[in-house]
Short mmCIF file of all heavy atoms in Angstrom, two decimals:
data_model
loop_
_atom_site.label_atom_id
_atom_site.label_comp_id
_atom_site.label_asym_id
_atom_site.label_seq_id
_atom_site.Cartn_x
_atom_site.Cartn_y
_atom_site.Cartn_z
N LEU A 157 66.00 114.67 72.25
CA LEU A 157 66.92 115.64 72.82
C LEU A 157 66.10 116.53 73.82
O LEU A 157 65.17 117.20 73.32
CB LEU A 157 67.52 116.51 71.72
CG LEU A 157 68.43 117.67 72.15
CD1 LEU A 157 69.68 117.26 72.91
CD2 LEU A 157 68.83 118.49 70.94
N LEU A 158 66.53 116.57 75.05
CA LEU A 158 65.85 117.45 76.00
C LEU A 158 66.66 118.70 76.22
O LEU A 158 67.88 118.62 76.46
CB LEU A 158 65.73 116.66 77.37
CG LEU A 158 65.19 115.26 77.40
CD1 LEU A 158 65.31 114.71 78.82
CD2 LEU A 158 63.81 115.21 76.86
N LEU A 159 66.04 119.82 76.00
CA LEU A 159 66.74 121.13 76.09
C LEU A 159 66.10 121.96 77.21
O LEU A 159 64.87 122.21 77.20
CB LEU A 159 66.62 121.85 74.82
CG LEU A 159 67.32 121.19 73.58
CD1 LEU A 159 66.84 121.83 72.32
CD2 LEU A 159 68.81 121.38 73.69
N ASP A 160 66.93 122.39 78.20
CA ASP A 160 66.37 123.23 79.26
C ASP A 160 66.85 124.62 79.12
O ASP A 160 67.98 124.94 79.48
CB ASP A 160 66.81 122.61 80.67
CG ASP A 160 65.96 123.09 81.77
OD1 ASP A 160 65.26 124.12 81.65
OD2 ASP A 160 65.99 122.45 82.88
N GLU A 161 65.92 125.55 78.63
CA GLU A 161 66.16 126.94 78.49
C GLU A 161 67.48 127.22 77.75
O GLU A 161 68.37 127.90 78.24
CB GLU A 161 66.23 127.62 79.87
CG GLU A 161 64.92 127.38 80.58
CD GLU A 161 64.61 128.49 81.59
OE1 GLU A 161 64.99 129.68 81.39
OE2 GLU A 161 63.96 128.21 82.64
N PRO A 162 67.58 126.81 76.52
CA PRO A 162 68.78 127.12 75.67
C PRO A 162 68.92 128.58 75.39
O PRO A 162 70.02 129.01 75.07
CB PRO A 162 68.57 126.27 74.42
CG PRO A 162 67.07 126.02 74.35
CD PRO A 162 66.60 126.00 75.78
N SER A 163 67.85 129.37 75.48
CA SER A 163 67.95 130.80 75.13
C SER A 163 68.38 131.63 76.31
O SER A 163 68.52 132.88 76.14
CB SER A 163 66.61 131.27 74.59
OG SER A 163 65.74 131.46 75.62
N LEU A 164 68.51 131.07 77.54
CA LEU A 164 68.77 131.81 78.71
C LEU A 164 69.99 132.69 78.61
O LEU A 164 71.11 132.19 78.37
CB LEU A 164 68.88 130.88 79.91
CG LEU A 164 68.76 131.56 81.20
CD1 LEU A 164 67.34 131.96 81.56
CD2 LEU A 164 69.21 130.57 82.40
N GLY A 165 69.80 133.98 78.74
CA GLY A 165 70.94 134.93 78.83
C GLY A 165 71.55 135.24 77.49
O GLY A 165 72.63 135.80 77.49
N LEU A 166 70.93 134.79 76.38
CA LEU A 166 71.52 135.09 75.07
C LEU A 166 70.86 136.33 74.37
O LEU A 166 69.63 136.50 74.53
CB LEU A 166 71.44 133.83 74.17
CG LEU A 166 72.06 132.55 74.77
CD1 LEU A 166 72.04 131.47 73.73
CD2 LEU A 166 73.42 132.80 75.28
N ALA A 167 71.62 137.03 73.55
CA ALA A 167 71.02 138.11 72.80
C ALA A 167 69.99 137.56 71.75
O ALA A 167 70.20 136.44 71.26
CB ALA A 167 72.20 138.82 72.05
N PRO A 168 69.02 138.36 71.45
CA PRO A 168 67.95 137.92 70.54
C PRO A 168 68.40 137.36 69.19
O PRO A 168 67.95 136.35 68.73
CB PRO A 168 67.16 139.22 70.29
CG PRO A 168 67.37 140.03 71.55
CD PRO A 168 68.73 139.66 72.01
N LEU A 169 69.51 137.93 68.62
CA LEU A 169 69.98 137.48 67.38
C LEU A 169 70.44 136.11 67.55
O LEU A 169 70.30 135.18 66.67
CB LEU A 169 71.04 138.43 66.84
CG LEU A 169 71.41 138.23 65.38
CD1 LEU A 169 70.18 138.55 64.52
CD2 LEU A 169 72.58 139.12 65.01
N LEU A 170 71.24 135.84 68.61
CA LEU A 170 71.80 134.49 68.88
C LEU A 170 70.73 133.47 69.11
O LEU A 170 70.84 132.34 68.71
CB LEU A 170 72.76 134.61 70.08
CG LEU A 170 73.72 133.50 70.18
CD1 LEU A 170 74.54 133.28 68.96
CD2 LEU A 170 74.71 133.79 71.39
N VAL A 171 69.64 133.88 69.85
CA VAL A 171 68.56 132.99 70.09
C VAL A 171 67.98 132.53 68.75
O VAL A 171 67.70 131.33 68.53
CB VAL A 171 67.47 133.72 70.96
CG1 VAL A 171 66.25 132.82 71.07
CG2 VAL A 171 67.98 134.04 72.30
N LYS A 172 67.86 133.46 67.88
CA LYS A 172 67.37 133.13 66.53
C LYS A 172 68.16 132.10 65.80
O LYS A 172 67.63 131.12 65.25
CB LYS A 172 67.22 134.42 65.69
CG LYS A 172 66.09 134.39 64.71
CD LYS A 172 65.94 135.77 64.05
CE LYS A 172 64.89 135.72 62.99
NZ LYS A 172 64.74 136.96 62.32
N THR A 173 69.52 132.32 65.87
CA THR A 173 70.45 131.34 65.24
C THR A 173 70.29 129.99 65.84
O THR A 173 70.25 129.00 65.13
CB THR A 173 71.88 131.83 65.47
OG1 THR A 173 71.93 133.21 65.20
CG2 THR A 173 72.78 131.10 64.58
N ILE A 174 70.25 129.94 67.19
CA ILE A 174 70.20 128.66 67.90
C ILE A 174 68.86 127.99 67.59
O ILE A 174 68.86 126.78 67.30
CB ILE A 174 70.41 128.83 69.38
CG1 ILE A 174 71.86 129.12 69.62
CG2 ILE A 174 70.03 127.57 70.14
CD1 ILE A 174 72.37 129.03 71.02
N PHE A 175 67.77 128.70 67.56
CA PHE A 175 66.49 128.10 67.22
C PHE A 175 66.39 127.57 65.83
O PHE A 175 65.78 126.55 65.49
CB PHE A 175 65.34 129.05 67.60
CG PHE A 175 64.88 128.94 69.04
CD1 PHE A 175 65.83 129.07 70.05
CD2 PHE A 175 63.58 128.75 69.42
CE1 PHE A 175 65.46 129.00 71.42
CE2 PHE A 175 63.16 128.65 70.68
CZ PHE A 175 64.15 128.81 71.70
N GLN A 176 67.09 128.32 64.91
CA GLN A 176 67.16 127.83 63.52
C GLN A 176 67.90 126.49 63.48
O GLN A 176 67.44 125.59 62.74
CB GLN A 176 67.90 128.94 62.72
CG GLN A 176 68.27 128.59 61.24
CD GLN A 176 66.97 128.41 60.46
OE1 GLN A 176 66.02 129.17 60.63
NE2 GLN A 176 67.04 127.47 59.48
N THR A 177 68.99 126.39 64.29
CA THR A 177 69.73 125.17 64.32
C THR A 177 68.90 124.06 64.91
O THR A 177 68.96 122.90 64.47
CB THR A 177 71.03 125.36 65.04
OG1 THR A 177 71.68 126.55 64.62
CG2 THR A 177 71.93 124.15 64.93
N LEU A 178 68.10 124.38 65.93
CA LEU A 178 67.22 123.33 66.52
C LEU A 178 66.25 122.81 65.47
O LEU A 178 66.03 121.56 65.44
CB LEU A 178 66.41 123.93 67.71
CG LEU A 178 67.16 124.34 68.93
CD1 LEU A 178 66.28 124.81 70.06
CD2 LEU A 178 68.09 123.26 69.42
N TRP A 179 65.81 123.67 64.62
CA TRP A 179 64.93 123.20 63.55
C TRP A 179 65.63 122.23 62.59
O TRP A 179 65.08 121.19 62.21
CB TRP A 179 64.36 124.44 62.75
CG TRP A 179 63.41 124.05 61.72
CD1 TRP A 179 62.05 123.81 61.84
CD2 TRP A 179 63.71 124.00 60.31
NE1 TRP A 179 61.53 123.53 60.61
CE2 TRP A 179 62.49 123.56 59.67
CE3 TRP A 179 64.86 124.12 59.55
CZ2 TRP A 179 62.47 123.41 58.29
CZ3 TRP A 179 64.81 123.93 58.20
CH2 TRP A 179 63.59 123.56 57.57
N GLU A 180 66.90 122.60 62.27
CA GLU A 180 67.71 121.76 61.44
C GLU A 180 67.91 120.34 62.09
O GLU A 180 67.85 119.32 61.45
CB GLU A 180 69.09 122.29 61.19
CG GLU A 180 69.29 123.19 60.05
CD GLU A 180 70.68 123.74 59.89
OE1 GLU A 180 71.59 122.88 59.71
OE2 GLU A 180 70.91 124.86 60.12
N ILE A 181 68.14 120.39 63.39
CA ILE A 181 68.42 119.14 64.17
C ILE A 181 67.17 118.29 64.10
O ILE A 181 67.26 117.05 63.89
CB ILE A 181 68.82 119.46 65.59
CG1 ILE A 181 70.22 120.11 65.65
CG2 ILE A 181 68.75 118.20 66.53
CD1 ILE A 181 70.52 120.78 66.97
N ASN A 182 66.00 118.91 64.21
CA ASN A 182 64.74 118.19 64.18
C ASN A 182 64.48 117.61 62.78
O ASN A 182 64.06 116.53 62.63
CB ASN A 182 63.59 119.07 64.60
CG ASN A 182 62.25 118.47 64.53
OD1 ASN A 182 61.43 118.77 63.76
ND2 ASN A 182 62.04 117.41 65.41
N GLU A 183 64.83 118.37 61.76
CA GLU A 183 64.70 117.96 60.38
C GLU A 183 65.56 116.67 60.15
O GLU A 183 65.25 115.81 59.35
CB GLU A 183 65.19 119.04 59.40
CG GLU A 183 64.19 120.20 59.22
CD GLU A 183 62.94 119.70 58.50
OE1 GLU A 183 63.04 119.44 57.24
OE2 GLU A 183 61.89 119.55 59.12
N ALA A 184 66.75 116.61 60.83
CA ALA A 184 67.57 115.42 60.76
C ALA A 184 67.00 114.23 61.46
O ALA A 184 67.69 113.18 61.54
CB ALA A 184 68.97 115.79 61.29
N GLY A 185 65.83 114.36 62.06
CA GLY A 185 65.20 113.23 62.67
C GLY A 185 65.19 113.16 64.18
O GLY A 185 64.80 112.09 64.78
N VAL A 186 65.73 114.11 64.82
CA VAL A 186 65.84 114.10 66.32
C VAL A 186 64.58 114.74 66.91
O VAL A 186 64.29 115.92 66.61
CB VAL A 186 67.09 114.86 66.83
CG1 VAL A 186 67.23 114.78 68.35
CG2 VAL A 186 68.36 114.30 66.16
N THR A 187 63.87 114.01 67.72
CA THR A 187 62.77 114.54 68.48
C THR A 187 63.24 115.48 69.54
O THR A 187 64.31 115.18 70.12
CB THR A 187 61.98 113.40 69.09
OG1 THR A 187 61.62 112.46 68.06
CG2 THR A 187 60.69 113.84 69.82
N ILE A 188 62.54 116.62 69.78
CA ILE A 188 63.08 117.62 70.73
C ILE A 188 61.98 118.00 71.78
O ILE A 188 60.79 118.15 71.43
CB ILE A 188 63.46 118.93 70.01
CG1 ILE A 188 64.69 118.62 69.10
CG2 ILE A 188 63.73 120.03 70.94
CD1 ILE A 188 65.17 119.77 68.23
N VAL A 189 62.38 117.96 73.00
CA VAL A 189 61.52 118.51 74.09
C VAL A 189 62.28 119.74 74.54
O VAL A 189 63.40 119.75 75.06
CB VAL A 189 61.43 117.51 75.26
CG1 VAL A 189 60.66 118.18 76.44
CG2 VAL A 189 60.71 116.22 74.80
N LEU A 190 61.57 120.90 74.36
CA LEU A 190 62.22 122.22 74.57
C LEU A 190 61.55 122.87 75.78
O LEU A 190 60.38 123.34 75.65
CB LEU A 190 62.10 123.06 73.34
CG LEU A 190 62.56 124.48 73.38
CD1 LEU A 190 64.05 124.57 73.62
CD2 LEU A 190 62.11 125.14 72.09
N VAL A 191 62.29 123.05 76.86
CA VAL A 191 61.74 123.86 78.02
C VAL A 191 62.21 125.29 77.76
O VAL A 191 63.37 125.56 77.51
CB VAL A 191 62.31 123.33 79.31
CG1 VAL A 191 62.23 124.39 80.42
CG2 VAL A 191 61.58 122.08 79.73
N GLU A 192 61.27 126.16 77.85
CA GLU A 192 61.61 127.61 77.56
C GLU A 192 60.84 128.65 78.40
O GLU A 192 59.72 128.38 78.82
CB GLU A 192 61.35 127.92 76.07
CG GLU A 192 62.63 127.88 75.21
CD GLU A 192 63.68 128.87 75.65
OE1 GLU A 192 63.41 129.87 76.26
OE2 GLU A 192 64.88 128.55 75.33
N GLN A 193 61.48 129.77 78.70
CA GLN A 193 60.78 130.96 79.14
C GLN A 193 60.44 131.87 78.05
O GLN A 193 59.54 132.72 78.14
CB GLN A 193 61.63 131.65 80.26
CG GLN A 193 61.95 130.76 81.42
CD GLN A 193 61.56 131.36 82.77
OE1 GLN A 193 60.79 132.33 82.76
NE2 GLN A 193 62.11 130.80 83.81
N ASN A 194 61.22 131.73 77.03
CA ASN A 194 61.00 132.53 75.86
C ASN A 194 59.88 131.90 74.96
O ASN A 194 60.13 131.20 74.01
CB ASN A 194 62.27 132.65 74.99
CG ASN A 194 62.20 133.61 73.90
OD1 ASN A 194 61.07 133.97 73.41
ND2 ASN A 194 63.34 134.06 73.34
N ALA A 195 58.64 132.20 75.47
CA ALA A 195 57.52 131.44 74.99
C ALA A 195 57.26 131.67 73.45
O ALA A 195 56.95 130.75 72.73
CB ALA A 195 56.23 131.78 75.74
N ARG A 196 57.46 132.92 73.01
CA ARG A 196 57.14 133.18 71.67
C ARG A 196 58.04 132.42 70.68
O ARG A 196 57.59 131.73 69.79
CB ARG A 196 57.28 134.74 71.39
CG ARG A 196 56.75 135.14 70.05
CD ARG A 196 56.97 136.71 69.86
NE ARG A 196 56.33 137.49 70.95
CZ ARG A 196 55.09 137.93 70.93
NH1 ARG A 196 54.32 137.63 69.93
NH2 ARG A 196 54.61 138.63 71.93
N ALA A 197 59.31 132.50 70.96
CA ALA A 197 60.28 131.79 70.08
C ALA A 197 59.99 130.26 70.12
O ALA A 197 60.04 129.59 69.04
CB ALA A 197 61.69 132.06 70.49
N ALA A 198 59.73 129.78 71.34
CA ALA A 198 59.57 128.33 71.47
C ALA A 198 58.28 127.91 70.77
O ALA A 198 58.28 126.84 70.07
CB ALA A 198 59.46 127.97 72.98
N LEU A 199 57.18 128.63 70.84
CA LEU A 199 55.93 128.24 70.23
C LEU A 199 56.06 128.38 68.74
O LEU A 199 55.32 127.61 67.95
CB LEU A 199 54.77 129.11 70.73
CG LEU A 199 54.38 128.73 72.15
CD1 LEU A 199 53.33 129.72 72.71
CD2 LEU A 199 53.78 127.29 72.24
N LYS A 200 56.87 129.29 68.24
CA LYS A 200 56.98 129.41 66.76
C LYS A 200 57.73 128.18 66.21
O LYS A 200 57.47 127.78 65.08
CB LYS A 200 57.77 130.69 66.43
CG LYS A 200 56.89 131.90 66.48
CD LYS A 200 57.59 133.12 65.98
CE LYS A 200 56.65 134.28 65.90
NZ LYS A 200 57.30 135.55 65.57
N LEU A 201 58.61 127.66 67.03
CA LEU A 201 59.38 126.47 66.56
C LEU A 201 58.65 125.13 66.74
O LEU A 201 58.67 124.27 65.89
CB LEU A 201 60.76 126.46 67.32
CG LEU A 201 61.70 125.25 67.00
CD1 LEU A 201 62.34 125.47 65.66
CD2 LEU A 201 62.81 125.14 68.09
N ALA A 202 57.92 125.07 67.84
CA ALA A 202 57.45 123.81 68.24
C ALA A 202 56.13 123.39 67.46
O ALA A 202 55.45 124.24 66.86
CB ALA A 202 57.11 123.80 69.71
N HIS A 203 55.87 122.07 67.49
CA HIS A 203 54.59 121.62 66.96
C HIS A 203 53.49 121.69 68.00
O HIS A 203 52.43 122.04 67.73
CB HIS A 203 54.70 120.13 66.51
CG HIS A 203 55.77 119.95 65.45
ND1 HIS A 203 56.99 119.34 65.75
CD2 HIS A 203 55.84 120.32 64.18
CE1 HIS A 203 57.78 119.33 64.67
NE2 HIS A 203 57.04 119.86 63.68
N ARG A 204 53.82 121.32 69.17
CA ARG A 204 52.86 121.31 70.37
C ARG A 204 53.49 121.86 71.51
O ARG A 204 54.72 121.95 71.67
CB ARG A 204 52.44 119.84 70.59
CG ARG A 204 51.48 119.29 69.56
CD ARG A 204 50.87 118.03 69.99
NE ARG A 204 51.80 117.02 70.46
CZ ARG A 204 51.82 116.57 71.73
NH1 ARG A 204 50.93 117.05 72.60
NH2 ARG A 204 52.73 115.66 72.12
N GLY A 205 52.68 122.26 72.51
CA GLY A 205 53.19 122.82 73.76
C GLY A 205 52.38 122.46 74.97
O GLY A 205 51.17 122.12 74.83
N TYR A 206 53.06 122.49 76.10
CA TYR A 206 52.40 122.28 77.39
C TYR A 206 52.69 123.55 78.21
O TYR A 206 53.81 124.06 78.16
CB TYR A 206 52.93 121.10 78.13
CG TYR A 206 52.58 119.74 77.43
CD1 TYR A 206 53.41 119.27 76.47
CD2 TYR A 206 51.50 119.06 77.92
CE1 TYR A 206 53.06 118.04 75.86
CE2 TYR A 206 51.17 117.80 77.33
CZ TYR A 206 51.93 117.35 76.31
OH TYR A 206 51.66 116.07 75.72
N VAL A 207 51.71 124.01 79.03
CA VAL A 207 51.98 125.08 79.96
C VAL A 207 51.93 124.50 81.34
O VAL A 207 50.93 123.84 81.75
CB VAL A 207 50.94 126.24 79.73
CG1 VAL A 207 51.21 127.34 80.76
CG2 VAL A 207 51.05 126.74 78.33
N MET A 208 52.95 124.78 82.18
CA MET A 208 53.04 124.30 83.51
C MET A 208 52.83 125.47 84.50
O MET A 208 53.36 126.54 84.27
CB MET A 208 54.34 123.72 83.86
CG MET A 208 54.55 122.29 83.29
SD MET A 208 56.10 121.60 83.86
CE MET A 208 55.64 121.00 85.44
N GLU A 209 52.15 125.14 85.62
CA GLU A 209 52.00 126.11 86.77
C GLU A 209 52.12 125.29 87.94
O GLU A 209 51.42 124.32 88.11
CB GLU A 209 50.71 126.85 86.70
CG GLU A 209 50.76 128.16 85.87
CD GLU A 209 49.37 128.76 85.65
OE1 GLU A 209 48.50 128.55 86.48
OE2 GLU A 209 49.22 129.51 84.67
N VAL A 210 53.03 125.78 88.87
CA VAL A 210 53.28 125.14 90.18
C VAL A 210 53.07 123.64 90.18
O VAL A 210 52.21 123.10 90.95
CB VAL A 210 52.55 125.78 91.32
CG1 VAL A 210 53.18 127.14 91.67
CG2 VAL A 210 51.10 126.03 91.02
N GLY A 211 53.81 122.94 89.36
CA GLY A 211 53.82 121.48 89.50
C GLY A 211 52.69 120.71 88.74
O GLY A 211 52.51 119.51 88.93
#
Side-chain angles (χ1 to χ4, degrees):
Chain A
L157 173 64
L158 311 176
L159 296 163
D160 199 343
E161 302 206 32
S163 76
L164 194 71
L166 304 187
L169 195 64
L170 196 54
V171 174
K172 211 169 172 180
T173 316
I174 288 192
F175 274 52
Q176 174 66 35
T177 310
L178 293 184
W179 182 80
E180 269 182 66
I181 292 165
N182 179 246
E183 285 290 289
V186 181
T187 305
I188 292 178
V189 176
L190 172 66
V191 161
E192 262 301 335
Q193 300 232 16
N194 187 340
R196 191 181 302 271
L199 286 172
K200 282 187 171 171
L201 178 72
H203 303 107
R204 289 192 306 118
Y206 292 85
V207 178
M208 283 186 82
E209 271 171 25
V210 285

